[in-house]
Amino acid sequence: MQLDIENEAAEWVSAEVSIEGPAVSTDVLQHTSRIQFVSGPASKFSIRSPDNSGGGWTAQVFVEVVVYSEDRFGNQGPAVAGSFVLRTDSKSLEVQGGGLLEFDERGEGRVTVRSPHAQSLDVWLERTGNSNSKAQQRALMLSTVQSLYFKEADPGKAGATPSPPPTTTKPPKAALARLPRDDGVRKEDRDAAWKPLADEVKEAFMHAWRGYRKYAWGKDELQPLSKKGRDSFGGMGMTILDSLSTMWLMGLDAEFEEAAVFVERDLDFSKCTEEVSVFEVIIRALGGLLGAHSLTRRKLFLERAEELAKLLIPAVSSSSALPWPKWSLALGRGTPSGEPTILAEAGSLQLEFRQLSIETGDPSYRKVADATSAAIQAAGVSGLMPVYLTPPDHNPPRPLASKFAIGALADSYYEYLLKQWLQSPGEVSWKDRWIEAMDEMPALVRPKNLSELSAGAARAAKSPAMASASAPPRFKVMQMSSNGDMVWTMDHLSCFMPGMLALGLANLPDEDLKDRNETWWRLAEGLTESCVGLWAFSKSGLSPEFATVNSKPPFDFKEVPPQGRYSFLRPETAESLFYLYRFTGDERYRRWGRDIFRAIQQHAKVDVGYASVKNVNKVPTEKLDEMQSFVFAETFKYLFLLFSPADALDLDKYVLNTEGHPLRRPER
Ligand code: DMJ
């Protein structure tokens, strides 16, 4: 007979076992025993020091870094075989004794360090000896990496009460339940430590901007290898329009004013004869102008936005009210193509047109947007939608047999359901439709059983140690073909989803949250890790466009097929890191953002900007002669915001369109 008894902590428990015969007269064998549950092998390390209670360590002072080993339940002390060194990414940190750590029987190892100046840096453990593979070392590094903060000596601040992690919006309850161990670092000190990186992102933006300004001013995009401009959107200076809100948020005043002069004097839609993507013009150009208006309240931007919207109205007013895919703004026509309508394109004009009505008081823009939403609804599918609908001149609109996805072709349709509600909180039907879709989302997600996960997590959240033991699985989000088969690929485009979920969780009323809170939060956390994984596991550290996923647990990434190897330096992971950091204050998200930024700096930077990359798994990277305007609008903006204090952009006051342009929300 074998008894399986599990216990979640290393402790003594009494167990009573009685074995009885079938008849009452039979002897009873009864045995009571105390059983000790011991810790398993060390699976985690935490780095602490008694000296950092006042918020960061003081520069120029020797501090002893104590590294504790923990078992998978968070119990300190399992013996650790072998010896380790403490590594750091800081060139200036003095680490005594080469950082060699030896763990005693209590699972503690010590090393003394000193920083000559204020800085934020990472430390991690590395096993000494050469019996460890690179993959093992990397896994150890990823599981042990910790950020340390050194601040300038400031006696006035010593002993100050640590403030809670930065949040401006009601944080998701489940997120708060799992906040990382409070490291006692004050919010201001954390932000100060990340400021140099925020400045580096700003400089990266400026590097690209200088290239665009010098070689492509007034053109839609810069070709950073040939140092020429190209007009991919009819020649409206798209990069300028798409960069406005980023420049304002970064405080690039002179550059912003020069761009404003372009908007006032040189922006000329009558030159745009070529048929261009209606969707892109709406989210980039109209969104860019509206974002600039929301941030500055300058009439100029609203007037030019209104002028553009008027030219776009016929393009989004087909007989079915679904938008035309391409349109000539100057000629006021589009060539009928018979191509299906893309769900994301039909569902991503509403925020911009409705914002125009809010700002101008003219209801006609909202009418157009609502008609398109009604046309999508008239297709008769709710929740998850197929990615294609009938072409715009087909009546009534119908869904076409096509895949279900959250990434390419679908993404911002879901995003705009939630965001229309944030823009107009009185209109709860948007929120309800978003919830309905999100409730169906697990069909595309693996591992599948989210409700079991949330039960485990609820148990885990009772103690911080247990919470850390139940890190969410690295969820993947795939696609499903029209016949219900899984398509085992994950798009980088779907990486906006964790941020969207977090934004929803932070804003949904309690009655909607219920059991969704824990489940969705874990989904957001686990998906974010997978998105970071898409970047981290390529040779260059840049994310491919998509990767295939193994169809069996643990559903790891499998490979990057040749068609998915390129990188446009897309923003979605940085976007989610920004939201997740904002709502949790968990520094992991900033560290991951830093890795992304470093990969961009190292492998995409060229003389006059940042180039798309042909194959993320080939180093040195071969560059492509293009720089998408969303790198200015989103990639650099989200990274900048991730490393900046929360007041750089108040999410209670603004909702960002799908191109990252902040639109003013109503006062609450
Ligand atoms: C951007 O134009 C927008 O974020 C859009 O929603 C999706 N594609 C790009 C960025 O990848």
Side-chain angles (χ1 to χ4, degrees):
M1 184 175 70
Q2 189 182 332
L3 292 178
D4 279 336
I5 309 174
E6 277 188 32
N7 197 44
E8 289 172 339
E11 59 181 352
W12 284 96
V13 294
S14 291
E16 190 181 279
V17 181
S18 58
I19 304 169
E20 297 176 9
V24 235
S25 57
T26 330
D27 280 348
V28 174
L29 173 63
Q30 191 168 320
H31 182 73
T32 307
S33 186
R34 273 169 58 77
I35 305 170
Q36 188 185 16
F37 287 84
V38 290
S39 294
S43 64
K44 226 178 148 282
F45 296 87
S46 60
I47 298 176
R48 282 171 256 163
S49 162
D51 303 334
N52 68 338
S53 55
W57 294 338
T58 306
Q60 293 165 3
V61 171
F62 286 104
V63 281
E64 191 172 61
V65 176
V66 188
V67 184
Y68 300 86
S69 70
E70 292 175 3
D71 67 12
R72 70 192 172 95
F73 301 121
N75 302 304
Q76 188 198 315
V80 183
S83 62
F84 295 77
V85 277
L86 188 78
R87 295 270 181 237
T88 175
D89 61 348
S90 162
K91 291 204 177 80
S92 59
L93 185 71
E94 296 163 29
V95 183
Q96 297 204 331
L100 191 66
L101 281 148
E102 273 175 40
F103 286 88
D104 59 21
E105 68 293 345
R106 286 168 305 162
E108 291 179 18
R110 289 155 199 280
V111 67
T112 303
V113 301
R114 182 168 73 156
S115 172
H117 50 74
Q119 61 175 322
S120 139
L121 52 88
D122 278 357
V123 290
W124 63 90
L125 295 192
E126 203 176 281
R127 217 176 259 273
T128 55
N130 42 18
S131 58
N132 305 294
S133 69
K134 268 196 171 162
Q136 284 169 324
Q137 291 288 27
R138 184 162 172 77
L140 181 63
M141 176 189 173
L142 290 173
S143 66
T144 58
V145 64
Q146 300 278 337
S147 283
L148 305 182
Y149 305 92
F150 287 88
K151 60 180 183 181
E152 297 296 357
D154 178 355
K157 281 187 188 168
T161 320
S163 49
T167 52
T168 58
T169 312
K170 188 179 69 169
K173 293 185 189 73
L176 277 182
R178 265 196 316 288
L179 269 177
R181 246 183 299 263
D182 184 3
D183 57 9
V185 180
R186 295 173 352 119
K187 177 165 82 70
E188 295 77 4
D189 290 327
R190 281 172 196 261
D191 289 339
W194 285 97
K195 185 169 182 304
L197 200 60
D199 289 344
E200 259 188 70
V201 176
K202 193 162 145 180
E203 176 45 36
F205 176 96
M206 276 306 299
H207 172 71
W209 181 254
R210 282 189 293 266
Y212 171 79
R213 185 176 178 276
K214 182 161 180 194
Y215 296 105
W217 185 256
K219 297 276 183 185
D220 286 325
E221 287 171 326
L222 167 69
Q223 294 185 280
L225 304 186
S226 55
K227 301 184 183 169
K228 284 194 291 222
R230 88 171 171 194
D231 281 335
S232 17
F233 301 100
M236 61 178 78
M238 186 64 95
T239 292
I240 301 177
L241 306 183
D242 227 2
S243 299
L244 286 165
S245 60
T246 305
M247 292 193 290
W248 183 265
L249 293 173
M250 288 181 171
L252 295 169
D253 299 343
E255 290 72 20
F256 182 87
E257 293 310 333
E258 190 178 25
V261 170
F262 172 88
V263 172
E264 187 170 9
R265 293 201 207 138
D266 304 324
L267 177 58
D268 181 1
F269 300 117
S270 71
K271 286 195 310 202
C272 304
T273 49
E274 200 192 321
E275 287 188 19
V276 294
S277 163
V278 172
F279 162 77
E280 299 292 358
V281 171
I282 291 173
I283 66 168
R284 299 186 197 209
L286 186 57
L289 290 166
L290 286 167
H293 174 251
S294 277
L295 290 170
T296 64
R297 310 308 295 158
R298 290 190 204 167
K299 258 176 100 187
L300 160 73
F301 298 114
L302 186 60
E303 283 165 5
R304 303 297 331 243
E306 215 179 344
E307 181 188 334
L308 175 57
K310 287 197 161 91
L311 297 171
L312 284 163
I313 282 182
V316 297
S317 313
S318 68
S319 61
S320 69
L322 293 177
W324 291 87
K326 292 199 154 194
W327 197 258
S328 161
L329 293 175
L331 305 176
R333 62 171 189 242
T335 314
S337 70
E339 292 288 311
T341 301
I342 294 171
L343 179 65
E345 299 197 353
S348 312
L349 53 92
Q350 290 75 4
L351 267 188
E352 293 79 1
F353 276 84
R354 291 165 62 95
Q355 189 74 14
L356 259 179
S357 286
I358 293 169
E359 298 288 8
T360 61
D362 176 348
S364 59
Y365 308 108
R366 171 190 223 111
K367 244 173 114 184
V368 167
D370 290 352
T372 304
S373 296
I376 299 173
Q377 261 191 301
V381 187
S382 57
L384 282 187
M385 299 266 302
V387 299
Y388 290 128
L389 306 174
T390 42
D393 51 3
H394 184 283
N395 274 298
R398 285 284 166 260
L400 294 176
S402 49
K403 66 181 183 183
F404 294 83
I406 184 81
L409 307 174
D411 44 12
S412 38
Y413 161 72
Y414 299 107
E415 182 185 349
Y416 274 27
L417 291 178
L418 173 68
K419 290 184 172 177
Q420 280 181 89
W421 172 61
L422 296 177
Q423 183 186 44
S424 310
E427 297 179 32
V428 290
S429 63
W430 303 118
K431 165 184 69 78
D432 293 342
R433 282 164 67 185
W434 181 72
I435 290 176
E436 207 182 340
M438 291 304 108
D439 279 345
E440 291 182 8
M441 194 57 67
L444 303 181
V445 170
R446 293 291 181 279
K448 211 173 176 181
N449 201 338
L450 299 184
S451 53
E452 268 179 29
L453 286 166
S454 63
R459 268 204 320 275
K462 282 185 205 149
S463 85
M466 286 307 301
S468 62
S470 72
R474 292 178 176 176
F475 292 106
K476 305 288 181 306
V477 57
M478 268 76 61
Q479 304 159 25
M480 188 184 281
S481 69
S482 55
N483 61 13
D485 291 342
M486 284 303 262
V487 181
W488 292 95
T489 60
M490 178 164 158
D491 290 341
H492 185 269
L493 280 166
S494 58
C495 288
F496 80 102
M497 183 175 160
M500 173 181 70
L501 280 173
L503 181 66
L505 287 169
N507 285 281
L508 287 184
D510 287 348
E511 60 272 22
D512 287 322
L513 283 175
K514 290 189 213 139
D515 48 349
R516 292 187 183 101
N517 188 29
E518 186 64 43
T519 317
W520 288 5
W521 185 251
R522 288 176 67 75
L523 182 55
E525 283 179 307
L527 268 175
T528 303
E529 271 206 66
S530 291
C531 292
V532 169
L534 269 178
W535 291 73
F537 300 119
S538 79
K539 281 204 181 123
S540 62
L542 295 171
S543 170
E545 184 70 359
F546 63 87
T548 58
V549 174
N550 273 312
S551 57
K552 294 202 175 66
F555 306 103
D556 289 334
F557 288 122
K558 198 167 153 191
E559 59 174 3
V560 180
Q563 325 83 280
R565 286 184 187 151
Y566 64 93
S567 166
F568 287 158
L569 314 180
R570 286 197 189 274
E572 290 76 15
T573 300
E575 176 180 355
S576 283
L577 291 173
F578 158 66
Y579 284 110
L580 270 86
Y581 179 74
R582 181 62 72 87
F583 295 131
T584 67
D586 186 336
E587 295 284 307
R588 277 184 315 161
Y589 299 118
R590 278 179 162 172
R591 289 199 298 267
W592 286 336
R594 179 174 53 192
D595 293 344
I596 285 177
F597 179 58
R598 284 188 179 150
I600 293 175
Q601 288 284 60
Q602 199 179 341
H603 296 290
K605 189 171 181 182
V606 292
D607 281 4
V608 300
Y610 290 81
S612 296
V613 164
K614 195 169 176 190
N615 179 355
V616 295
N617 274 326
K618 202 167 154 236
V619 174
T621 47
E622 192 181 328
K623 314 284 191 303
L624 298 168
D625 196 12
E626 62 167 55
M627 178 171 186
Q628 292 277 340
S629 68
F630 57 66
V631 178
F632 293 87
E634 293 187 84
T635 311
F636 288 141
K637 179 187 284 138
Y638 286 123
L639 288 171
F640 175 77
L641 291 174
L642 171 65
F643 304 133
S644 298
D647 59 12
L649 180 72
D650 184 346
L651 289 176
D652 282 340
K653 295 205 175 113
Y654 299 94
V655 56
L656 279 72
N657 89 333
T658 191
E659 189 76 359
H661 299 302
L663 306 178
R664 210 161 65 120
R665 291 173 67 179
E667 301 262 329
R668 291 187 296 167

